[in-house]
Amino acid sequence: MKEAWPDPKNWLGHPAMQEALPLIVALELLGEQARFVGGCVRDAILGRPIRDVDLATTAQPAWVMNVLKERGYRVVPTGLQHGTVSVVLSGGTVEITTLRHDVETDGRHAKVAFTTDWEADAARRDLTINSMSLDRDGRLHDPFCGLQDLHDGKVCFVGDPRGRITEDVLRILRFFRFHAWYGKGDADAESVLACAELAHLIPRLSAERITKEWLTLLAAPDPLPCCRLMHERGVLAHFLPEIVSCDRLAALIQVSRGYDIQCLSLLRMAALVPPACDVRVLALRMKFSGAQTRYLVSVCQDTAPAHADMSWPDLHRCIDRQGRAATQGQMLLAAADGKGREKLSAAMDEVAVWETPPRPYDGLDAQRLGLTQGQELGKVIQEMDVWWQGQDFQPDRAACLEHMEQIIKAR
């Protein structure tokens, strides 16, 4: 076992898991069983941050709701038909799901039946590293050797990969996403083969589900190997046919190491898109939010993108015009293309700290100098903005008012 891993006795030490322990105790005192399952178990073993805490139980969902409500918990019936209720705690929401096995699947949704068989519930999970459960005493239950796979960096399906994928096509993208975050070395060959053979089913998924998995994959410390593998095996072509090469992404990852990058997944997405691509069309198809779309358009299609070789005043104007995140992204993409690499560090530092100063003049000043509200006033303020920005936002109020008076007299 890796020495860097937390000691097993500390697997339950995360505050979110500690806060959820009384829920398990409450159910078990009444004769049922409950354990931690899924991502919180996997990340507790690795000592990684835990985002969501999930529990599984032998108890029926309606009974779980009643028992916990009687004990003063706020319980929400988030998915009773699938056996899931949510408990709102101070540190976040804990989902409690009754043990299940699949009765019928169609590639997107499953009809389930409740069970008390822990191994049957584990057998319906997608990957071995997600099939483990942890009881309140810290004992690990691992019927499919997920702990060893986690140690080895092996991401593979529970059982037959083709069977698991046909149950839920989203598992193709989840396989690559988990390999990007948890895998070591080459991806499991049998799993990759199954994903490639069944990738034509991906368009059956909603754009929202595809986009969530894809952007999470791109946020991994180094998504390049998975992106290249998905491209080479034809998986990307079924939801991102615009991508023809991963070379620019490779260059971006290289030049961006060590920087705290805003909108990291979207910037990496921009590096994969060829210059001729209309990212508005892509963003519409992928159901990106308005903010995500605006960012992509800024870094991909700006007519005067920022780069590290530009002067500080020009760089400041870019920040003022489009914001810090887009300016940072444009500079990194330019550096990935070979422009401004030598000055990138200094320019990135400047983008991180520079703030547009408050504008030392406004329309009231123009009115005091004799203008009335209307078109002329707007034109004067616009002309003042161009001048002030051209002076690198340096002139103080007195200098600005003097220049404004000159503009008004000249009209």
Side-chain angles (χ1 to χ4, degrees), residues 33-35 37 55-61 82-83 96-101 112-122 124-125 133:
Q33 297 177 355
R35 300 176 190 166
V37 293
L55 305 180
T57 181
T58 55
Q60 297 284 307
H82 299 294
I96 305 177
T97 302
T98 303
L99 296 180
R100 303 171 292 178
H101 66 85
V112 300
F114 299 139
T115 181
T116 57
D117 186 339
W118 284 95
E119 186 164 336
D121 184 83
R124 71 179 298 276
R125 297 182 182 270
S133 59

Side-chain angles (χ1 to χ4, degrees), residues 182-200:
Y182 297 93
K184 301 174 188 173
D186 294 336
D188 179 67
E190 185 180 2
S191 298
V192 171
L193 181 61
C195 288
E197 290 179 352
L198 297 173
H200 64 278

